[in-house]
Amino acid sequence: MAEAASVRPPAAIAVVGLGNMGRPMAACLMRAGYAVTGYHLLPAARERFAQAGGRAAADVAAAVAGAAVVIALLPDGKAVRAAVTAMRPHLAAGTIVIDMSSSAPLGTRALGAELAAAGFAFIDAPVSGGVKRAADATLAVMVGGDPAVIDRVEPVLSAMGSAIFRTGPLGSGHAMKALNNYVSAAGLAAAVEALAVGRKFGLDPVVMTDVLNASSGRNNTTENKLKQFIIPKTFASGFSMALMAKDIRTADELAEALGIETPLAVLCTDLWEEEAKRLGPGADHTAYGRYLTER
């Protein structure tokens, strides 16, 4: 039996979810030569996509019709399941569905089993890197699923990311993403608290950042968030606090389901959820501990 061909330009791709990450990632696919159709529940998001030169569909059925690959870039696994349920009757035979959202790993496996039974391939491929790296196609992509399916869509993933990591079976990409964001969130919380203490003592936060980045305290926040968003109080990284809190909760719940005790993750989950509630909807994740930053 002949091996299935990889999905290369000008193949048709549907991107469902045109938010802060979906729009630039869809743009990268278009630059690579793919025929991209985008869809979003909010008309304003569809309009922004169209104004940027994209082809926006009025409903999910029109978006996925004839697509070789459908990419979901949605807030969570529940939204992905709802979208897949709506699109399933309209998918062409052999369509590959890629969940690039930050979904719960066990839910991903359950949805994958349902899609497989219906004759559709499904992989999870969440990303890390933020809006800037989404725009310049340098995201890190964590891919879980059937290696043969991943082989077929690797050109698609490479059009959006510069580092493609095959993490294992279906759901492993989402597990890795949740654990990555937990580690990132713990590092951000520590960095913000350290700056607050240092500032109170009389240290310059900019000098502190330089020292951290030349020392063992260096992490993603010290390198990419302190001077860029936190010290100047712009808090505009493009990734929301609610989504970060959700991802930490996902990591914590995965640990609980596996019977692993993670006391720091439990504490981190509570801290981030409290902060998300305090700052309200729409707060950027770099605003964590804003009250400490502004004192």
Side-chain angles (χ1 to χ4, degrees), residues 234-260:
T234 57
F235 308 118
S237 73
F239 185 65
S240 77
M241 185 172 294
L243 288 177
M244 180 65 95
K246 182 265 298 180
D247 288 349
I248 304 166
R249 170 65 69 183
T250 297
D252 187 33
E253 290 176 346
L254 178 62
E256 185 177 357
L258 297 173
I260 306 295

Side-chain angles (χ1 to χ4, degrees), residues 2 46 59 82 100 134 144 173 225 273 283 292:
R46 300 197 298 268
D59 54 53
M100 301 190 79
K225 298 173 187 177
E273 289 183 343
L292 290 173

Side-chain angles (χ1 to χ4, degrees), residues 142-161:
M142 298 151 263
V143 196
D146 183 342
V149 177
I150 297 173
D151 287 343
R152 291 189 61 201
V153 299
E154 189 151 16
V156 177
L157 301 176
S158 295
M160 297 176 284

Side-chain angles (χ1 to χ4, degrees), residues 3 43 67 246 255 267:
E3 190 174 301
K246 182 265 298 180
L267 178 60

